[in-house]
Every structure is written in structure tokens, then in C-alpha cells.
Amino acid sequence: MNTNPHFQDADAFYEQLLDAHTGLSREDSELLNARLILLLANQIGDAAVLKACIEAAREMPVTPA
């Protein structure tokens, strides 16, 4: 599992993600994240990699807002 950024324009991706959440309630924002996660998991398609990603995400430090 690669934990380093692996795409060309991380800033553009982040802006797209923020834009997708604009105007959504917290509940709708959480549902959008859930749907996005399921779509991305489907693209990965490997249960072991998905498990490793979940574990890595849980271990990542949460930065204050």
C-alpha cells in the first residue's frame, strides 16, 4: 500500500472534494463521503489493500481544524 501522494495535482483534487461538499448538510456530506469511499474501494478491488488502507487511516494523526 502506497501512503505517499500518488497523483499529479493534489491541490486540484482537494478543491474538487471541497466543492463537492459545498452547501451540503453534515449528514449529506457524510453520505457523499460514504458513496465516494465505496466507489474508490470498487476501483481498488482488493480486500487486503482496503483493509490496510482502513488500518493506516485509523493510525494517521488527526490534525486540529
Side-chain angles (χ1 to χ4, degrees):
M1 178 187 57
N2 184 0
T3 59
N4 297 315
H6 191 65
F7 42 90
Q8 295 178 354
D9 194 350
D11 290 335
F13 165 74
Y14 187 67
E15 287 298 319
Q16 289 173 345
L17 187 58
L18 290 177
D19 288 346
H21 288 267
T22 300
L24 297 179
S25 68
R26 181 180 177 125
E27 181 180 359
D28 287 341
S29 183
E30 290 171 354
L31 289 171
L32 171 65
N33 282 338
R35 290 190 304 269
L36 178 59
I37 289 166
L38 291 172
L39 288 167
L40 294 173
N42 190 51
Q43 294 301 307
I44 294 168
D46 184 320
V49 171
L50 293 170
K51 182 178 185 220
C53 288
I54 290 168
E55 291 169 359
R58 287 184 56 95
E59 294 173 8
M60 292 175 110
V62 177
T63 56

